[in-house]
């Protein structure tokens, strides 16, 4: 049988992968350097001269990294000991083994885009952990928090809406519940437009009330498997015994506004008894600029709770209770910040795979998760999603993603062609979205 198609890569001049490596990644590095600069006095106040020295060191390591990238130097192994250093270095060797002898070492513009882009964020982390005492500094924290603050109006509107729904939920009939389920899922989808890596780290918050735009946005959903999600969870609700559980796992993407949309959805799932427990997965290190870490997760809930808006703070208080009583569970795993495609998860991280198998439904948020689900490969648009997953089937799953990379499967013949001619960048602006389900029907 033929192997899977080739990986997206910076080799393809003019491709989005190429432009990302050439322009956007250096821009993100420059912004990280600038952030460190701006915190100079804070580091000094906290740690004295040692803080200043550490800041200089981190900056010089990041400048070196930017230079390696811009001159297409070989990808070098990690040196600093960390939980995933060995796995990373093995993966770099593996990438090298895929090359013909003459091709030498993996390089930025030559190797798979997914690999080098993940490598870049892991190198940023290495620069920081090599610079104690500022080794727990998150260079993206400021922009993640800014995204949250700038989205205040939308967050208030969303929290108010959620509280209205929750307080009247007993009066809703099945159709009304389904409408609400679809509404909150669509909000969570469009919340994924707000990542900071697409904008090169520049602000990308939600300033308008997204709820008013859902109808207009509907035609932009290229694959819409919402009905499957509804039947699945509604069936679980109807058939489960009193003591049994329905577990929905959410593989999180970005902090800030998107995370609020995910938590609102998670709250609704419990309130509507479509699920009895929700498990979240975040990143263990700062990742793709805006991805949520446990610190962001806790910080955001704290902020929502501390709001002086009545309904917003009620949401925060409820969310904290869910965590306390174990109805919401947060998991960390290093696999999410490795460069591997998800089809190798069962070998590389069998414990995580086994954890995901306990879910009745797994929601994968965002573009990067889609790239890892499909291996970030040059699939034909009409290849079935199931096939592109290449054996990754821990439980029924759904990708909720706005398109920000040149990979998309499961379209109808002719569907992609509608956009190719008229909108050359249709796959990379976050304008279009999918709810793409895989699982038994
Ligand atoms: O936050 P998301 O939705 O995973 O998006 C991150 C995506 O943004 C990008 O940086 C592209 O703009 C991709 O490299 C990556 O897939
Ligand atoms: Mn992200």
């Amino acid at each position: 049988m033929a192997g899977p198609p080739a990986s997206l890569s910076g080799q393809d001049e003019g491709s989005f992968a190429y432009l990302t490596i050439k322009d956007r990644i250096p821009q993100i590095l420059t912004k990280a350097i600038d952030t460190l600069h701006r915190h100079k006095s804070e580091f000094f106040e906290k740690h004295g001269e040692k803080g200043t020295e550490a800041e200089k060191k981190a900056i010089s390591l990041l400048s070196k990294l930017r230079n390696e990238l811009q001159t297409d130097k070989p990808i070098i192994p990690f040196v600093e000991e960390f939980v995933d250093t060995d796995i990373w270095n093995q993966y770099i060797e593996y990438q090298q083994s895929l090359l013909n002898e003459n091709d030498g070492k993996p390089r930025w513009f030559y190797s798979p885009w997914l690999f080098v882009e993940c490598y870049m964020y892991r190198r940023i982390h290495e620069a920081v952990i090599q610079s104690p005492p500022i080794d727990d500094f998150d260079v993206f924290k400021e922009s993640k928090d800014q995204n949250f603050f700038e989205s205040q109006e939308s967050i208030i509107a969303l929290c108010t809406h959620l509280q209205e729904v929750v307080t009247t939920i007993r009066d809703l009939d099945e159709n009304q519940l389904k409408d609400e389920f679809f509404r909150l899922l669509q909000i969570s989808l469009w919340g994924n437009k707000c990542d900071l890596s697409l904008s090169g780290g520049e602000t990308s918050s939600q300033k308008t009330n997204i709820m008013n735009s859902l109808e207009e946005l509907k035609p932009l959903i290229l694959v819409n498997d919402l009905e499957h999600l509804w039947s699945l969870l509604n069936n679980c609700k109807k058939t489960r015994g009193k003591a049994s559980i329905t577990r929905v796992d959410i593989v999180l993407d970005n902090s800030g506004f998107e995370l609020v949309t995910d938590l609102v959805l998670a709250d609704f799932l419990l309130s509507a008894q479509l699920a009895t427990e929700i498990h979240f997965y975040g990143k263990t290190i700062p990742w793709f600029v805006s991805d949520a870490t446990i610190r962001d997760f806790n910080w955001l809930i704290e902020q929502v709770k501390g709001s002086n808006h009545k309904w917003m703070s009620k949401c925060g208080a409820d969310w904290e209770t869910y965590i306390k009583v174990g109805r919401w569970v947060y998991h960390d795993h290093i696999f999410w910040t490795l460069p591997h495609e998800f089809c190798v998860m069962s070998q590389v991280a069998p414990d995580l795979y086994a954890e995901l198998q306990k879910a009745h439904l797994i929601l994968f948020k965002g573009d990067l998760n889609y790239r890892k689900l499909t291996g970030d490969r040059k699939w034909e648009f009409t290849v079935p999603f199931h096939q592109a997953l290449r054996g990754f089937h821990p439980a029924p799953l759904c990708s909720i993603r706005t398109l920000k990379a040149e990979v998309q499967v499961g379209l109808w013949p002719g569907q992609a062609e509608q956009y190719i001619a008229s909108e050359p960048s249709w796959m990379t602006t976050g304008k279009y979205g999918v709810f793409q389900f895989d699982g038994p029907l």
Side-chain angles (χ1 to χ4, degrees):
M1 225 175 71
S7 304
L8 299 180
S9 142
Q11 278 178 66
D12 301 322
E13 262 182 58
S15 68
F16 190 65
Y18 169 80
L19 294 172
T20 300
I21 303 169
K22 185 167 100 33
D23 301 328
R24 287 189 17 258
I25 295 187
Q27 192 185 335
I28 287 166
L29 278 170
T30 303
K31 197 143 194 275
I33 292 171
D34 176 60
T35 304
L36 282 160
H37 256 308
R38 279 187 296 97
H39 284 74
K40 197 177 180 158
S41 44
E42 181 192 313
F43 297 142
F44 179 72
E45 277 157 31
K46 246 181 152 174
H47 310 285
E49 270 310 315
K50 286 206 167 100
T52 315
E53 286 309 308
E55 177 247 8
K56 278 194 203 140
K57 179 163 184 197
I59 288 178
S60 87
L61 290 167
L62 291 182
S63 308
K64 177 172 173 287
L65 172 61
R66 188 176 51 188
N67 183 270
E68 284 171 31
L69 188 159
Q70 288 179 322
T71 52
D72 202 17
K73 290 274 166 357
I75 300 290
I76 54 176
F78 290 97
V79 289
E80 187 70 20
E81 204 169 304
F82 194 67
V83 271
D84 61 356
T85 306
D86 291 345
I87 308 184
W88 258 104
N89 286 343
Q90 277 162 23
Y91 192 83
I92 296 170
E93 273 175 32
Y94 161 73
Q95 282 296 336
Q96 174 147 8
S97 75
L98 298 180
L99 302 172
N100 298 323
E101 262 178 26
N102 303 341
D103 293 336
K105 301 246 181 259
R107 289 192 335 265
W108 292 89
F109 284 88
Y110 190 80
S111 296
W113 175 34
L114 179 62
F115 162 50
V116 296
E117 200 175 20
C118 291
Y119 173 80
M120 197 279 295
Y121 287 97
R122 180 60 179 78
R123 279 286 298 275
I124 295 182
H125 183 64
E126 181 167 79
V128 173
I129 59 176
Q130 282 185 312
S131 309
I134 62 161
D135 46 346
D136 72 339
F137 186 71
D138 177 347
V139 291
F140 304 126
K141 179 81 183 131
E142 218 174 50
S143 40
K144 288 185 272 195
D145 295 357
Q146 189 190 355
N147 171 293
F148 173 82
F149 291 125
E150 286 180 356
S151 312
Q152 276 313 288
E153 294 297 308
S154 312
I155 294 175
I156 289 175
L158 197 50
C159 289
T160 307
H161 175 75
L162 174 70
Q163 290 306 322
E164 276 164 13
V165 172
V166 167
T167 44
T168 55
I169 208 149
R170 283 174 203 284
D171 308 328
L172 300 185
D173 63 28
E174 202 172 295
N175 277 330
Q176 290 170 313
L177 217 52
K178 181 175 167 185
D179 285 348
E180 201 51 56
F181 177 69
F182 282 12
R183 182 172 303 129
L184 294 178
L185 276 157
Q186 287 172 79
I187 292 172
S188 168
L189 167 66
W190 300 119
N192 179 244
K193 265 188 180 173
C194 301
D195 85 278
L196 293 164
S197 104
L198 190 61
S199 57
E202 293 308 321
T203 172
S204 165
S205 48
Q206 182 60 42
K207 297 203 178 75
T208 56
N209 184 352
I210 217 168
M211 265 180 306
N212 301 332
S213 322
L214 296 183
E215 278 311 309
E216 279 162 52
L217 294 170
K218 253 190 200 148
L220 308 178
I221 303 175
L222 304 183
V223 178
N224 191 339
D225 291 337
L226 282 180
E227 289 286 345
H228 298 324
L229 302 189
W230 171 254
S231 347
L232 191 151
L233 292 182
N234 199 35
N235 243 341
C236 286
K237 176 177 173 177
K238 285 184 173 157
T239 55
R240 73 172 169 254
K242 264 219 155 80
S244 52
I245 61 157
T246 302
R247 172 170 160 176
V248 174
D249 286 19
I250 305 182
V251 182
L252 295 171
D253 185 4
N254 303 305
S255 185
F257 181 71
E258 181 173 358
L259 181 54
V260 176
T261 67
D262 298 334
L263 298 182
V264 165
L265 172 67
D267 188 334
F268 171 78
L269 293 177
L270 292 188
S271 305
Q273 294 171 31
L274 290 164
T276 59
E277 52 186 72
I278 312 284
H279 291 241
F280 299 98
Y281 302 83
K283 307 294 195 292
T284 44
I285 63 173
W287 198 244
F288 281 69
V289 187
S290 40
D291 285 17
T293 62
I294 182 68
R295 241 205 256 170
D296 301 321
F297 185 85
N298 289 335
W299 178 89
L300 184 135
I301 293 178
E302 205 46 52
Q303 290 295 319
V304 173
K305 189 181 149 203
S307 158
N308 48 27
H309 187 278
K310 182 176 160 194
W311 297 126
M312 188 164 156
S313 97
K314 168 81 166 61
C315 285
D318 289 350
W319 299 348
E320 211 174 71
T321 308
Y322 290 145
I323 296 168
K324 272 199 191 109
V325 300
R327 298 188 76 199
W328 279 10
V329 184
Y330 182 96
H331 301 256
D332 256 334
H333 201 290
I334 59 160
F335 182 80
W336 304 116
T337 50
L338 293 174
H340 301 70
E341 331 174 30
F342 291 164
C343 65
V344 299
M345 184 194 285
S346 59
Q347 293 124 57
V348 177
D351 55 332
L352 178 61
Y353 195 83
E355 193 59 53
L356 291 174
Q357 283 179 310
K358 297 178 196 160
H360 293 82
L361 172 67
I362 313 168
L363 303 177
F364 285 92
K365 285 298 314 281
D367 191 68
L368 179 61
N369 278 324
Y370 193 81
R371 291 171 59 192
K372 288 186 165 189
L373 284 164
T374 56
D376 212 32
R377 294 172 180 280
K378 297 176 186 173
W379 295 104
E380 301 281 334
F381 292 119
T382 50
V383 160
F385 186 38
H386 187 83
Q387 185 184 331
L389 289 167
R390 298 179 67 220
F392 179 71
H393 310 294
L397 61 87
C398 182
S399 160
I400 302 178
R401 165 245 188 175
T402 59
L403 279 66
K404 304 173 200 161
E406 287 166 329
V407 53
Q408 181 60 54
V409 297
L411 298 185
W412 299 111
Q415 195 180 358
E417 286 70 14
Q418 285 175 29
Y419 306 102
I420 294 172
S422 57
E423 282 183 76
S425 56
W426 66 286
M427 300 185 81
T428 54
T429 56
K431 174 178 170 185
Y432 295 95
V434 297
F435 291 104
Q436 200 155 26
F437 177 80
D438 180 67
L441 291 177

